[in-house]
DNA sequence: ACATCCGTACTTGTATACGAAGGGTCGGTC
DNA sequence: GACCGACCCTTCGTATACAAGTACGGATGT
């Protein structure tokens, strides 16, 4: 197997393809937390040799999406409710930073874009998944406006991790409405150029989601991932 | 070459040793920014085969301590003044988070420890390197008290990156005195349990260092690394 | 019956060999 | 003299072979 150029221009070596596939499986919980990775089995399944597989695994270890035991065994990290709280708080911190920076840097075009995204969020507030996507779009846009590559890089690490927990903090209509209202306030502060308020509102917005998530973890829902629970 | 147990218990495979050594060379600028890594040369120099070398390089790429061009060539990332600002701001955000959390969690023993570290910082304020180390010890302790593994993990990524820039923000006596004073205020807020003030003070403390660093970059000192400057 | 020791199978870590792509250089041609 | 093309060499990506350490099972002894 040789390396090929993707349409986007980024390289797509076998190792990179394996990395993308393994990462997807981990984040989608197709690889169960606590499960051990067996190189021979994966090489056969993915159709590559051990070398590219190992490179992908090494990268995932570096990203904390896999962990290596002292003996060398590699396994999928277990889910831990403690991580959820920590990740939310870090995310709140980074989003606060980005919102504040965005408030100082946003241009007229950015204001228009935020208005458009807010309108979209409002129109979709009754539809759980669409409202979620619209909210994420607002957050992403704020990150773009802030234009802090390192903040975005670390923020992406955090959100990737959180994806494993399948946290649906806006499953209820009220919660979605509250989130929308908070999005409104955050964007208003950014548009007004009030960086302190924007940072504060954005941070509190995420901490609010943290509280909802923590409560949801206390009373595990239908398909909620129960952190720390091991299937026998 | 086979893997051996380190005293600490962590494994020390050849790949890991190579990782540690390469990381050190990158952070100490022994590998010049912009320089290309040649696998054959490094394997000969480090006495390992390409396999463990490549694994170490992959991990460093994942940590943004190396970057890979579309052609496959791996090189040491160039220094960029823009990164300095971004890294300081992310660091300010994370240290603010940790200081705030520490204010809520600090115990009596933690208060004593902070008092001791402050006294040490004060005693060493006239000695640049020692004062720096004492200041870092305070920051580290706050991170321990906050006990947010993810915040500390990301914070470590940031500080590792910043090490490449050899930023000496406290070279002047006044700056060291100011930093000491700020450390006092931060610790006072933590001990008082005032999380909002602690977060704010810690964040501003780092942003102050950012401003000093930015000014220093404007007027490159004797051995200051000039970001973006390429030696011919 | 339980614990312990040992042997076997497996898994991981490392080295090396091979194929393909990129870059540089030399020569030819306009 | 400058530009273009073909060639070779280097370097990277991948596959495979080998060595060493680990884990599991069974046998054996107390």
């Amino acid at each position: 197997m040789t390396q090929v150029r993707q349409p986007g221009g980024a390289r797509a070596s076998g190792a990179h393809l394996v990395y993308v596939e393994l990462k997807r499986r981990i984040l989608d919980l197709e690889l169960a937390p606590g499960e051990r990775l067996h190189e021979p089995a994966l090489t056969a399944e993915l159709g590559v040799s051990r070398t590219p597989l190992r490179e992908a695994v090494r990268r995932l270890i570096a990203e904390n999406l896999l962990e290596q035991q002292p003996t060398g065994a590699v396994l999928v990290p277990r889910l831990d409710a403690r991580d959820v709280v920590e990740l939310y708080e870090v995310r709140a911190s980074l989003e606060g930073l980005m919102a504040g920076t965005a408030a100082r840097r946003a241009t007229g075009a950015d204001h228009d874009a935020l208005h458009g995204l807010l309108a979209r969020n409002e129109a979709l507030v009754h539809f759980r998944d669409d409202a979620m996507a619209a909210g994420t779009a607002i957050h992403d846009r704020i990150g773009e406006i802030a234009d802090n590559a390192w903040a975005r890089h670390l923020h992406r690490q955090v959100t990737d991790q959180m994806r494993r927990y399948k946290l649906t903090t806006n499953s209820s209509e009220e919660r979605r409405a509250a989130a929308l209202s908070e999005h409104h306030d955050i964007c208003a502060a950014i548009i007004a150029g009030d960086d302190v308020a924007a940072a504060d509102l954005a941070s509190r917005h995420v901490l609010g989601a943290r509280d909802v998530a923590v409560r949801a973890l206390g009373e595990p829902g239908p398909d909620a991932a129960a952190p720390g629970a091991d299937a026998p």
Side-chain angles (χ1 to χ4, degrees), chain A residues 78-222:
Chain A
R78 295 181 182 280
L79 299 179
D80 183 349
R82 181 189 171 88
D83 283 334
V84 175
V85 175
E86 290 187 0
L87 289 166
Y88 263 114
E89 291 181 353
V90 171
R91 195 184 132 204
S93 180
L94 292 174
E95 295 208 10
L97 166 64
M98 292 193 287
T101 306
R104 287 190 295 275
R105 294 192 177 170
T107 66
D110 293 326
H111 297 171
D112 295 342
L114 289 176
H115 276 131
L117 290 168
L118 279 172
R120 180 177 164 75
N121 191 349
E122 194 154 4
L124 295 171
V125 73
H126 298 298
F127 309 94
R128 195 190 67 180
D129 294 346
D130 293 318
M132 170 84 107
T136 302
I138 293 176
H139 289 249
D140 288 348
R141 182 73 194 195
I142 293 172
E144 285 177 33
I145 298 170
D147 195 27
N148 181 323
W150 276 100
R152 292 178 76 188
H153 174 68
L154 298 184
H155 183 263
R156 149 84 56 166
Q157 286 188 45
V158 172
T159 51
D160 277 350
Q161 285 286 339
M162 292 178 71
R163 191 171 140 200
R164 294 181 69 218
Y165 290 88
K166 300 193 178 305
L167 301 161
T168 54
T169 60
N170 55 357
S171 53
S172 80
E173 184 90 17
E174 310 98 274
R175 176 61 199 163
R176 289 201 292 276
L180 172 62
S181 168
E182 290 167 11
H183 288 161
H184 265 295
D185 295 343
I186 294 166
C187 291
I190 291 173
I191 291 169
D194 187 343
D195 58 343
V196 175
D200 194 56
L201 288 168
S203 178
R204 288 181 193 281
H205 171 58
V206 177
L207 292 180
R210 173 200 63 180
D211 295 336
V212 173
V214 167
R215 272 197 295 276
L217 287 176
E219 34 175 274

Side-chain angles (χ1 to χ4, degrees), chain A residues 30-86:
Chain A
E30 287 180 23
L31 287 169
E35 181 176 340
R36 180 170 174 177
L37 250 59
H38 288 257
E39 289 181 2
L42 280 175
T43 55
E45 186 177 343
L46 298 173
V48 295
S49 73
R50 286 180 57 212
T51 308
L53 172 68
R54 281 176 64 85
E55 293 198 353
V57 167
R58 290 312 187 247
R59 182 168 169 190
L60 289 165
I61 291 172
E63 295 179 10
N64 282 284
L65 287 171
L66 287 175
E67 67 182 29
Q68 188 167 35
Q69 293 184 324
T71 62
V74 174
L75 41 82
V76 183
R78 295 181 182 280
L79 299 179
D80 183 349
R82 181 189 171 88
D83 283 334
V84 175
V85 175
E86 290 187 0

